[in-house]
Amino acid sequence: MEQLLPLLGMLVFVLIFYLLIARPQRRREERRALMLSSVKRGSVVYAGGIRCTVLDFDSGRVLTASGPSRSALEIDADAIDDVEGFDYRAEYERQKKLRRERAARGGGLGRR
C-alpha cells in the first residue's frame, strides 16, 4: 500500500492538471476557431483594440476598414480578438446542423 501512495499522488496531480489547465485551454481554442470561422464580409471585429469592419478575407489575412475615414487595414486573422454579435451557442448549433445535413446527403467525412 505504501508503494502505491506516490503513484496515487501523481495520478491526482495529472487529473488536476487536466481539469484546470488542459481542458479549459482546448475549449478556448475550439471557441476561438468557431469565432474566426464565423467572420464574413461586413462583420465588425476588434483587433488590438481597434474596431474594424471586414471588407475582404482570404487565407488568414483580413482586409478591414476602420474609423470615420474608413482607413484600410490588412491584419492577420489571428490578431482578431472578438467578433461583435458573435453567439457561441448559436454558431455551434448552426455548425452542428450543417454537419448533420452534409452527413445525410452522403457528404460526411466518415463516408468515402
Side-chain angles (χ1 to χ4, degrees):
M1 186 67 170
E2 289 179 22
Q3 296 170 346
L4 294 177
L5 222 48
L7 181 62
L8 184 62
M10 185 62 107
L11 287 174
V12 168
F13 178 74
V14 168
L15 180 67
I16 289 172
F17 175 80
Y18 174 75
L19 291 175
L20 294 179
I21 297 174
R23 189 168 168 221
Q25 178 66 27
R26 187 178 324 130
R27 279 189 175 176
R28 277 191 297 271
E29 289 171 1
E30 288 173 0
R31 286 181 180 209
R32 179 161 177 76
L34 194 60
M35 178 187 68
L36 290 177
S37 71
S38 73
V39 174
K40 57 185 177 284
R41 179 178 252 157
S43 296
V44 176
V45 299
Y46 293 91
I50 301 171
R51 184 177 188 261
C52 306
T53 303
V54 175
L55 300 176
D56 193 22
F57 58 96
D58 61 359
S59 67
R61 292 296 213 189
V62 182
L63 182 64
T64 62
S66 177
S69 64
R70 306 291 290 167
S71 303
L73 302 169
E74 184 177 336
I75 60 172
D76 192 49
D78 291 335
I80 295 175
D81 299 323
D82 194 18
V83 177
E84 192 171 278
F86 175 71
D87 181 16
Y88 170 74
R89 291 195 186 275
E91 184 65 22
Y92 178 78
E93 291 299 322
R94 188 180 78 78
Q95 294 280 341
K96 196 164 108 176
K97 182 180 174 185
L98 287 173
R99 283 192 302 269
R100 275 195 306 252
E101 289 172 357
R102 203 173 295 135
R105 287 191 309 244
L109 293 176
R111 295 181 75 173
R112 295 196 182 227

